Amino acid sequence: MTDAALIKSASTLHKWIGFGAMCIGMFMAILDIQIVITSLPVIENALKIGAERMSWVQTSYLIAEVIAIPLTGLLTRVFSMRWLFVGAIALFTVASVGCAMSTGFPSLIFARVVQGLAGGVLIPLVFSAIFLLFERGIQQTMATTMGGVLAVLAPAFGPITGGLLTENFSWHWLFLINVIPGILTLAAGVF
């Protein structure tokens, strides 16, 4: 194999590793929506939040996500796809820890808003990457399939995962489950 062929194959491998990390980040952001909703009563009891305010735990995340999604194109041009992903996954991971460490309604809502803003960037970033990183044909088809399958699987696994975590551990793990994948995808994004 020539040097040029080695460089091209290494570049292709790095591209797929980076894209895989982006897909895991998107999976985490989508999973987080479903994983938390199954355990709202447990969080309500643990933090002594009234039932009338519990909907904000989910709504704050979703509103922040909806605000971030259309800004992703602009943010990609400002920071580049790679560094936007790195920043978003870092923020999402830190906000997940913040949610787990929350001691009351205000701190939980603040952390959920930050988490939603970061998650809202992670989702469209994957689908932009499909068209920006991969050549038309088999590469784009494979990348689209990979992103699409993970986007569909996340909501399916969310309720099961949320129930298992709160039943066998504590509500804190609804958020702490994001830490190890967050750190791994952050490292993959940087390198």
Side-chain angles (χ1 to χ4, degrees):
M1 197 179 258
T2 66
D3 288 342
L6 282 172
I7 290 169
K8 184 175 181 182
S9 67
S11 174
T12 301
L13 178 63
H14 289 131
K15 186 174 17 175
W16 279 103
I17 290 170
F19 181 70
M22 292 174 77
C23 286
I24 292 169
M26 174 196 66
F27 181 84
M28 290 166 41
I30 297 171
L31 180 73
D32 204 74
I33 297 166
Q34 298 300 321
I35 205 171
V36 171
I37 202 162
T38 59
S39 301
L40 287 176
V42 175
I43 297 170
E44 177 184 347
N45 289 335
L47 296 179
K48 296 174 183 34
I49 299 171
E52 69 283 352
R53 296 193 308 175
M54 275 312 293
S55 65
W56 281 103
V57 173
Q58 198 66 350
T59 304
S60 61
Y61 181 93
L62 294 171
I63 290 172
E65 191 176 66
V66 168
I67 290 169
I69 287 172
L71 295 174
T72 303
L74 172 68
L75 294 172
T76 301
R77 286 188 289 279
V78 171
F79 296 109
S80 83
M81 182 181 302
R82 176 184 187 185
W83 295 114
L84 180 59
F85 169 72
V86 167
I89 198 70
L91 196 59
F92 186 84
T93 304
V94 168
S96 294
V97 172
C99 288
M101 294 176 60
S102 295
T103 57
F105 182 72
S107 59
L108 180 59
I109 296 302
F110 177 77
R112 285 294 280 172
V113 167
V114 173
Q115 195 183 35
L117 287 169
V121 169
L122 293 170
I123 296 167
L125 205 53
V126 167
F127 294 100
S128 296
I130 291 169
F131 296 102
L132 297 173
L133 296 178
F134 299 104
E135 297 175 19
R136 280 192 171 169
I138 191 72
Q139 283 191 356
Q140 272 190 3
T141 302
M142 288 172 50
T144 302
T145 302
M146 186 174 162
V149 165
L150 288 174
V152 170
L153 285 178
F157 287 136
I160 296 165
T161 306
L164 287 172
L165 288 172
T166 53
E167 191 172 307
N168 296 311
F169 300 103
S170 73
W171 67 271
H172 302 89
W173 285 98
L174 298 170
F175 304 105
L176 294 175
I177 194 173
N178 295 323
V179 174
I180 291 174
I183 291 169
L184 294 175
T185 56
L186 176 67
V190 169
F191 298 110

